[in-house]
Amino acid sequence: MLRYAGQQTLTRIPGEDNSLEYIPLGVGAVIPPWNFPLAIMAGMTVASVVTGNTVVLKPSSDSATIAYKFFEILEECGLPKGVVNFVPGGGTEVGEEMVQNPKTRFIAFTGSKEVWAAHQ
């Protein structure tokens, strides 16, 4: 996070004045798969947080316990309440609301085309 917050190296082109800034988007829906229950879930969640966003984390129903343990670790590390919000539940009910809600600014999703198409 500190590296991305600093000055970014850009290729200078004569006659141009360029800059690069990372801007937090807001609330993101993180919907990781069951088959890599910690690695992908942790990566998508923490990447969203270190770039200044808050997260609603809805793990696969098949890996909710692992995601909850990760959520507990984030709390133990001192992450402020409300930065990552753990919301277990079925994809049809919970996932659908998350991806359709107008307050959701981005979606971090890894899964099948069939699952994604069902939420469009």
Side-chain angles (χ1 to χ4, degrees):
M1 180 172 88
L2 295 174
R3 180 169 35 106
Y4 291 130
Q7 184 72 26
Q8 302 299 313
T9 304
L10 298 173
T11 302
R12 299 290 174 206
I13 298 173
E16 291 187 7
D17 184 21
N18 297 315
S19 66
L20 173 65
E21 296 178 45
Y22 290 96
I23 301 169
L25 297 175
V27 179
V30 174
I31 306 172
W34 63 270
N35 57 340
F36 286 96
L38 181 61
I40 293 175
M41 179 267 307
M44 291 193 306
T45 302
V46 173
S48 298
V49 170
V50 301
T51 53
N53 301 289
T54 59
V55 168
V56 178
L57 170 60
K58 192 220 92 52
S60 165
S61 298
D62 295 330
S63 59
T65 301
I66 293 169
Y68 186 73
K69 290 297 184 184
F70 172 74
F71 175 73
E72 286 181 325
I73 291 168
L74 293 176
E75 287 186 325
E76 287 176 26
C77 290
L79 191 69
K81 292 196 181 300
V83 173
V84 175
N85 303 277
F86 180 76
V87 183
T92 304
E93 303 84 27
V94 177
E96 183 73 22
E97 174 59 30
M98 288 171 59
V99 300
Q100 298 296 330
N101 192 304
K103 293 181 180 178
T104 299
R105 293 293 313 263
F106 66 93
I107 301 165
F109 171 80
T110 300
S112 67
K113 289 182 181 179
E114 293 79 19
V115 170
W116 180 251
H119 294 290
Q120 295 301 303

